[in-house]
Amino acid sequence: MKKIIVVLGQTASGKSELAVKIAKEFGGEVVSADSRQIYKGMDIGTGKITKRERQGIPHYLLDIISPNRKFTIVNYQKLAKEAINKILKKNKIPILCGGTGFYIQAVVDGIVIPRVPPDWKLRKKLEKKTAAELYGILKKLDPQRAKTIEKKNPRRLIRAIEIVKKTKQPIPAFKKSPLPYPVLMIGIKLPKKELQKRIKKRVEKMIKMGLEKEAKKLIKKYGWVPPLQTIGYQEWSSPNAKELIIQHTIQYSKRQMTWFKKDKRIRWIRNYKEAEKLTKSFLK
């Protein structure tokens, strides 16, 4: 029987490493579920897994588009499903791995997203506003969607406002067309202090690897396009860039966990042995 494994967790939790270990032991291939790692050149700042770290395991949906090109959740959903089918045809196990909860949900639950073309004029106007201001606008336009959206995510807020304004009606409840295969969802849960320690260590490593140079090079090439208005890239105009990146990453990790906690299907683990035991039982 065809089966799918999802490996998820907060940033710096070690999910990419876990996905590779599972893939090596159980004959899998990895499909990335990260809304920033899809972009070419955004390597250090997104913590993109290197070719060496992949250990020969094929990875899909990394480096697929330039930061100045538009890419929507609908595009991701289509490409992820194509990658999953390609892996299944090889009689391998697709392992969906990432920290972008909405991307994972879009694939696993097959959420049908309203097909509304982008309004670049409206977006440009909305991009000047803070997340709090955007949330206030959405709350007035569509109180129901405001209850479920990530309050501090400007991209999601702008897209929601855009859909409501273009369709002139509230965003409909998401219809679902879930994957027709059994899915095991494994989540890595680390103690708060350990995760924060790992985030600090990771940011320090990124800076040593040349994060500032990568950020400035990309901004010079593409300008302040939305994908670069994100953690690791947006902080370099401040003299306290390192501290800000750590602070923003910790805040982001909290938002990730808030999203994941909603999904009761996730089996939380602390180490590889627990993940291995769950996987063996699932694949029987």
Side-chain angles (χ1 to χ4, degrees), residues 245-260:
I245 295 168
I246 291 168
Q247 182 191 329
H248 293 161
T249 306
I250 289 169
Q251 288 167 349
Y252 173 60
S253 71
K254 288 175 185 173
R255 295 198 297 274
Q256 284 178 301
M257 188 50 80
T258 301
W259 178 285
F260 292 139

Side-chain angles (χ1 to χ4, degrees), residues 81-138:
K81 286 184 177 179
E82 284 172 5
I84 285 167
N85 289 331
K86 191 176 177 181
I87 296 165
L88 288 170
K89 278 178 186 172
K90 294 187 197 177
N91 291 318
K92 298 271 189 179
I93 299 152
I95 300 166
L96 191 64
C97 172
T100 306
F102 194 37
Y103 272 30
I104 292 165
Q105 193 185 7
V107 175
V108 173
D109 295 328
I111 293 167
V112 179
I113 294 120
R115 289 180 178 270
V116 175
D119 181 334
W120 299 107
K121 196 178 174 183
L122 174 65
R123 285 188 182 190
K124 205 169 181 182
K125 188 181 166 187
L126 293 172
E127 277 165 11
K128 292 171 186 171
K129 298 186 182 294
T130 64
E133 286 169 334
L134 292 168
Y135 182 71
I137 294 167
L138 181 63

Side-chain angles (χ1 to χ4, degrees), residues 177-194:
S177 173
L179 288 173
Y181 323 110
V183 178
L184 169 66
M185 299 183 78
I186 299 172
I188 304 175
K189 199 172 196 178
L190 298 177
K192 187 179 169 183
K193 281 189 178 176
E194 188 187 336

Side-chain angles (χ1 to χ4, degrees), residues 69-87:
R69 298 284 302 279
K70 61 178 183 180
F71 190 87
T72 67
I73 185 80
V74 176
N75 298 137
Y76 173 77
Q77 192 181 46
K78 180 179 177 286
L79 292 173
K81 286 184 177 179
E82 284 172 5
I84 285 167
N85 289 331
K86 191 176 177 181
I87 296 165

Side-chain angles (χ1 to χ4, degrees), residues 43-272:
D43 303 326
I44 301 168
T46 64
K48 198 178 288 175
I49 187 168
T50 64
K51 284 189 178 176
R52 189 180 172 187
E53 289 165 344
R54 292 175 210 174
Q55 297 181 48
I57 299 295
H59 279 63
Y60 300 77
L61 304 194
L62 294 172
D63 303 313
I64 58 172
I65 195 163
S66 296
N68 61 339
R69 298 284 302 279
K70 61 178 183 180
F71 190 87
T72 67
I73 185 80
V74 176
N75 298 137
Y76 173 77
Q77 192 181 46
K78 180 179 177 286
L79 292 173
K81 286 184 177 179
E82 284 172 5
I84 285 167
N85 289 331
K86 191 176 177 181
I87 296 165
L88 288 170
K89 278 178 186 172
K90 294 187 197 177
N91 291 318
K92 298 271 189 179
I93 299 152
I95 300 166
L96 191 64
C97 172
T100 306
F102 194 37
Y103 272 30
I104 292 165
Q105 193 185 7
V107 175
V108 173
D109 295 328
I111 293 167
V112 179
I113 294 120
R115 289 180 178 270
V116 175
D119 181 334
W120 299 107
K121 196 178 174 183
L122 174 65
R123 285 188 182 190
K124 205 169 181 182
K125 188 181 166 187
L126 293 172
E127 277 165 11
K128 292 171 186 171
K129 298 186 182 294
T130 64
E133 286 169 334
L134 292 168
Y135 182 71
I137 294 167
L138 181 63
K139 204 173 177 183
K140 282 181 186 173
L141 292 170
D142 188 348
Q144 284 305 115
R145 180 67 183 109
K147 285 179 187 176
T148 59
I149 203 163
E150 291 175 74
K151 291 181 185 181
K152 293 177 183 176
N153 189 324
R155 289 185 83 196
R156 300 257 184 275
L157 291 162
I158 288 169
R159 181 60 179 154
I161 293 165
E162 184 177 56
I163 291 168
V164 178
K165 281 185 172 285
K166 296 294 276 185
T167 59
K168 293 185 169 52
Q169 57 186 9
I171 297 171
F174 289 132
K175 293 176 186 172
K176 293 182 179 180
S177 173
L179 288 173
Y181 323 110
V183 178
L184 169 66
M185 299 183 78
I186 299 172
I188 304 175
K189 199 172 196 178
L190 298 177
K192 187 179 169 183
K193 281 189 178 176
E194 188 187 336
L195 183 71
Q196 289 185 358
K197 194 178 170 183
R198 287 177 78 149
I199 287 169
K200 285 173 189 172
K201 196 176 173 183
R202 185 181 178 183
V203 171
E204 281 164 4
K205 186 185 173 186
M206 285 173 166
I207 289 167
K208 278 181 188 170
M209 287 170 72
L211 175 57
E212 183 177 5
K213 190 180 175 184
E214 178 180 277
K216 289 181 176 176
K217 183 185 171 185
L218 289 167
I219 292 157
K220 189 181 177 184
K221 187 175 181 180
Y222 300 112
W224 279 108
V225 289
L228 293 172
Q229 295 169 28
T230 190
I231 302 165
Y233 298 97
Q234 65 190 4
E235 293 87 359
W236 290 103
S237 57
S238 166
N240 306 317
K242 178 183 156 184
E243 290 73 22
L244 281 174
I245 295 168
I246 291 168
Q247 182 191 329
H248 293 161
T249 306
I250 289 169
Q251 288 167 349
Y252 173 60
S253 71
K254 288 175 185 173
R255 295 198 297 274
Q256 284 178 301
M257 188 50 80
T258 301
W259 178 285
F260 292 139
K261 273 180 182 173
K262 297 175 198 168
D263 198 328
K264 303 303 174 194
R265 296 168 296 182
I266 299 169
R267 308 288 297 274
W268 294 103
I269 58 106
R270 288 162 297 179
N271 53 53
Y272 178 66

